[in-house]
Each structure stands twice: as structure tokens, then as C-alpha cells.
Amino acid sequence: MQYPNKAPDNQLEELVWDFSEAGKIHTGDGLKRSEVSETLRLCHVDTKELWRALHITARQHDKSGNLGRDFHSPDKRSRAIKHWKEGRVMTPPVIRLHPNFTSEVFVQSGQHRLGIALELMPEELPIYIEESEFAALQSTLPSLRLSLIHISE
């Protein structure tokens, strides 16, 4: 599959990300504060490199040609776009090593956010990863680096 080359129909020009510690609760649907992984680390990665490493299921398009499939809540994409259009921040997606394919990654959380971001084609994207997977992820995503952004409450 080719890297997406269309600007999203939502006319977003910029995505503003939430790097706060408190914002990590949004890394998964319905998480309680006690369920948020304490070993998530904020990183940045080259967008095209991430695209090439994504497992095929994360690169599929829906009927409208938008990235990201969702069988349970088809309006999540439109809610995310609305959220960003209102100038609000969103939590970066969580990317993990694929358990069955050594050179691929998958989106544990934030598929719609990632799909919208990929359509805007920024040079790099913020992502969360599990600290224990950093070295292995870096072999798949050589541009992966820990963020220098100070995360505050």
C-alpha cells in the first residue's frame, strides 16, 4: 500500500498533541488512572518510516478512503477531527511491536488519531511506546527517539 497522499476532508492544518502526564489516561479507551501504564514513553518517529512498518491492518482504508477501520464506533474519526478543529489537544497513539511479525508494528491505541495524522503527512509524529520495547522498536524504526519534551502534570 502506498503512503496516503490526500489531505483529509476535514481541512485540519495542524494537530496539537497532549504530552501531559494527566493526558496519558486517554491512551486507551475507558482506562482508569490506575490502569495507565507507568512505562509509556513519549517518542518521535519519522512518519513515512512508521507508515512502512505498520502492520497491514493499520494501513487499510474505510469505504470513504479514510485511514483506520472501526466496526464498533464509526464516528470516532469525526469526533477526533471536531476535537482538533476546536483547538483541543489529543494524546499521541500507542505503538507496539507486532507479536507475530518481527519487522512490523501495530497501533495499540489511537488508530483514528494516527489515521488523521498520517493523512496530514507531517515529517514526524509523536507516539507513545512501552519502555521495554524501545530497543526492539528502534531496530524496526531507526528514526525513533525519546522525546526531549518535558511532560508535566
Side-chain angles (χ1 to χ4, degrees), residues 29-72:
D29 288 338
L31 286 181
K32 296 177 184 149
R33 183 139 328 268
S34 62
E35 298 171 324
V36 176
S37 172
E38 292 183 14
T39 58
L40 283 180
R41 297 297 175 252
L42 180 62
C43 293
H44 284 83
V45 66
D46 177 84
T47 303
K48 289 185 179 181
E49 186 177 274
L50 176 61
W51 169 256
R52 287 189 296 271
L54 281 172
H55 183 65
I56 189 73
T57 56
R59 290 187 279 148
Q60 293 179 341
H61 294 71
D62 66 12
K63 292 180 269 186
S64 303
N66 299 314
L67 282 173
R69 301 174 304 144
D70 189 9
F71 305 110
H72 305 294

Side-chain angles (χ1 to χ4, degrees), residues 20-146:
S20 71
E21 195 65 34
K24 281 186 180 179
I25 195 167
H26 301 293
T27 56
D29 288 338
L31 286 181
K32 296 177 184 149
R33 183 139 328 268
S34 62
E35 298 171 324
V36 176
S37 172
E38 292 183 14
T39 58
L40 283 180
R41 297 297 175 252
L42 180 62
C43 293
H44 284 83
V45 66
D46 177 84
T47 303
K48 289 185 179 181
E49 186 177 274
L50 176 61
W51 169 256
R52 287 189 296 271
L54 281 172
H55 183 65
I56 189 73
T57 56
R59 290 187 279 148
Q60 293 179 341
H61 294 71
D62 66 12
K63 292 180 269 186
S64 303
N66 299 314
L67 282 173
R69 301 174 304 144
D70 189 9
F71 305 110
H72 305 294
S73 180
D75 65 341
K76 280 181 105 172
R77 177 185 167 80
S78 58
R79 286 196 323 255
I81 290 168
K82 181 177 186 276
H83 195 87
W84 265 318
K85 277 185 156 182
E86 292 172 349
R88 295 161 49 197
V89 296
M90 296 284 272
T91 305
V94 178
I95 303 296
R96 303 286 309 269
L97 283 172
H98 197 288
N100 301 320
F101 302 96
T102 56
S103 62
E104 293 186 5
V105 298
F106 72 99
V107 184
Q108 177 179 325
S109 172
Q111 184 167 321
H112 295 89
R113 288 170 270 156
L114 180 61
I116 294 164
L118 286 170
E119 289 173 0
L120 288 172
M121 295 181 279
E123 191 172 314
E124 65 177 26
L125 285 171
I127 60 172
Y128 279 113
I129 66 161
E130 283 294 336
E131 184 176 54
S132 62
E133 293 182 352
F134 182 77
L137 278 167
Q138 207 170 34
S139 68
T140 300
L141 302 167
S143 70
L144 184 72
R145 67 187 193 293
L146 288 170

